[in-house]
Amino acid sequence: MKNILIVGLGAVGTVFAVFLKEAGHNVYGLVRNKEKYNCSIFQVDGIWGHHSATLDLVTDNPEDLKNVDFDIIIVSVKSFDTEQAIKNIKDLVKDKTFVILTQNGYGNYETAVKYIPKEKVLLGRVIFGSKVDKNCHATVTVNADDVRIGQPENLTEESKVIELVCTIKHAGIPASYSKEVYKVLWDKILYNCALNPLGALLKRRYGELAENPYTKEIMNEIIKEIFEVCHLNNIQLNFKSAEEYIEFFYSKLIPPTKDHYPSMYYDLNSGNRTEIDALNGAIVKLGEKVGYTPKVNKTIYNLIKSLEK
């Protein structure tokens, strides 16, 4: 049995919380406003079946948790809330605590290690799709791969990371260990930058974007620019070229998620802030830092920002 804190009980955080509590662990929630989560039971439905659990405590005050010795803290807030979330939990990180970042986009690890020792911070690449039906209730809509977990700089003892992976896997969430989790995360950044903003702007599923020659051309250019940005910043990717990734993107990644709408689509519809700054916006910043402007990514970024309220 482990003591586990979930920071952010949205679409992804609710899934982790319910599955880990069902598996017999002590699970706590740290949220922005606990009044929104005044429910006795949290529920998850969808492709992984029906699950429900009562969490040990849900609070919006980190002080309420200071006497708990956490084994795992899973951060599942939106990327624009990462810094505040890390500030809230930094004093809860003790000798045996590991923090797993599950957010989309670039910069979450770089932000976290400003406040928490690097060897305590793990990346968790999440590529299952989940949406919030109402507070305390999420639906898993699709799963393209395991949650891949690792320490980006391999600073943590491998056996300890694998133990955390097993905790999540044995709870029923597909998970595996990755020595090259930073490259794996960039695979997802490529995927999200190509699909999320276009799906949100045009209100289209991933499969529809891939089938349309006009949106396909835009996505190809987004991907090619990201490869150029990574090359200029000496960021290592899993693929040798944009063309190699593009072939994999359409043949392997799109088919299992073809009926999926991006989270950014739901964010815009709800009038919520999107994660565009950690996706295409981050690509633009990384490019401009080295004197290169990725024009298609910048156009997509500007379009999304124009619609944010």
Side-chain angles (χ1 to χ4, degrees):
M1 181 183 292
K2 295 186 183 299
N3 292 325
I4 301 171
L5 175 63
I6 312 296
V7 184
L9 289 170
V12 170
T14 297
V15 174
F16 278 110
V18 170
F19 275 68
L20 287 162
K21 182 59 186 176
E22 266 195 341
H25 302 290
N26 300 318
V27 178
Y28 303 77
L30 181 61
V31 296
R32 185 182 296 165
N33 179 5
K34 69 178 180 181
E35 298 305 319
K36 289 177 60 178
Y37 299 93
N38 188 22
C39 10
S40 58
I41 297 175
F42 283 73
Q43 298 182 71
V44 174
D45 287 303
I47 62 171
W48 292 340
H50 178 76
H51 303 265
S52 62
T54 299
L55 304 190
D56 292 270
L57 176 69
V58 176
T59 182
D60 51 18
N61 185 2
E63 284 293 306
D64 295 339
L65 303 164
K66 66 181 181 180
N67 293 324
V68 182
D69 194 3
F70 288 108
D71 298 279
I72 306 172
I73 299 177
I74 297 176
V75 180
S76 59
V77 298
K78 294 286 190 179
S79 57
F80 48 76
D81 282 331
T82 296
E83 185 153 24
Q84 186 57 56
I86 296 299
K87 288 179 180 179
N88 289 342
I89 65 167
K90 63 184 177 66
D91 292 334
L92 302 176
V93 178
K94 312 228 176 120
D95 288 344
K96 68 172 185 175
T97 310
F98 288 95
V99 177
I100 304 176
L101 306 175
T102 65
Q103 300 100 312
N104 286 332
Y106 172 81
N108 296 297
Y109 175 74
E110 290 75 10
T111 297
V113 298
K114 288 194 266 180
Y115 304 95
I116 299 170
K118 286 183 176 182
E119 64 272 14
K120 295 282 187 183
V121 182
L122 310 178
L123 282 176
R125 191 287 314 264
V126 173
I127 203 164
F128 65 78
S130 179
K131 64 185 181 74
V132 173
D133 298 306
K134 56 184 177 181
N135 290 339
C136 311
H137 190 177
T139 299
V140 181
T141 56
V142 66
N143 182 46
D145 194 10
D146 290 356
V147 177
R148 299 289 185 90
I149 299 171
Q151 209 295 321
E153 300 174 71
N154 292 307
L155 300 175
T156 306
E157 189 178 324
E158 190 174 276
S159 62
K160 292 181 179 179
V161 182
I162 291 173
E163 181 184 348
L164 300 187
V165 170
C166 290
T167 298
I168 292 170
K169 184 175 182 178
H170 291 162
I173 297 173
S176 55
Y177 168 65
S178 174
K179 272 189 174 181
E180 297 191 321
V181 70
Y182 203 67
K183 289 183 180 180
V184 172
L185 181 70
W186 268 98
D187 291 348
K188 188 184 179 186
I189 293 172
L190 281 156
Y191 175 86
N192 281 339
C193 285
L195 289 165
N196 282 18
L198 274 180
L201 289 166
L202 301 175
K203 301 179 181 180
R204 294 290 184 268
R205 296 180 176 90
Y206 291 168
E208 294 175 292
L209 296 174
E211 291 166 0
N212 185 299
Y214 300 102
T215 50
K216 190 172 181 178
E217 182 177 349
I218 294 170
M219 290 193 294
N220 291 349
E221 290 305 312
I222 288 171
I223 291 166
K224 290 174 184 176
E225 287 184 352
I226 295 173
F227 268 79
E228 181 64 18
V229 166
C230 288
H231 171 71
L232 293 171
N233 282 278
N234 295 313
I235 294 170
Q236 300 298 310
L237 301 176
N238 269 326
F239 296 83
K240 294 178 182 177
S241 67
E243 290 71 24
E244 183 184 355
Y245 177 80
I246 287 169
E247 194 281 327
F248 182 77
F249 177 70
Y250 291 111
S251 65
K252 302 296 183 184
L253 298 182
I254 296 290
T257 60
K258 63 183 177 63
D259 295 323
H260 188 64
Y261 285 101
S263 58
M264 200 174 288
Y265 163 82
Y266 297 107
D267 287 335
L268 285 182
N269 281 354
S270 303
N272 295 328
R273 185 178 175 184
T274 75
E275 294 185 294
I276 194 68
D277 290 285
L279 295 171
N280 306 75
I283 299 304
V284 173
K285 281 187 177 180
L286 283 169
E288 291 182 340
K289 185 178 75 172
V290 292
Y292 168 70
T293 300
K295 293 182 179 179
V296 180
N297 280 274
K298 189 166 187 176
T299 299
I300 292 294
Y301 170 77
N302 288 342
L303 287 170
I304 292 293
K305 293 301 283 187
S306 74
L307 295 175
E308 282 189 342
K309 294 184 175 62

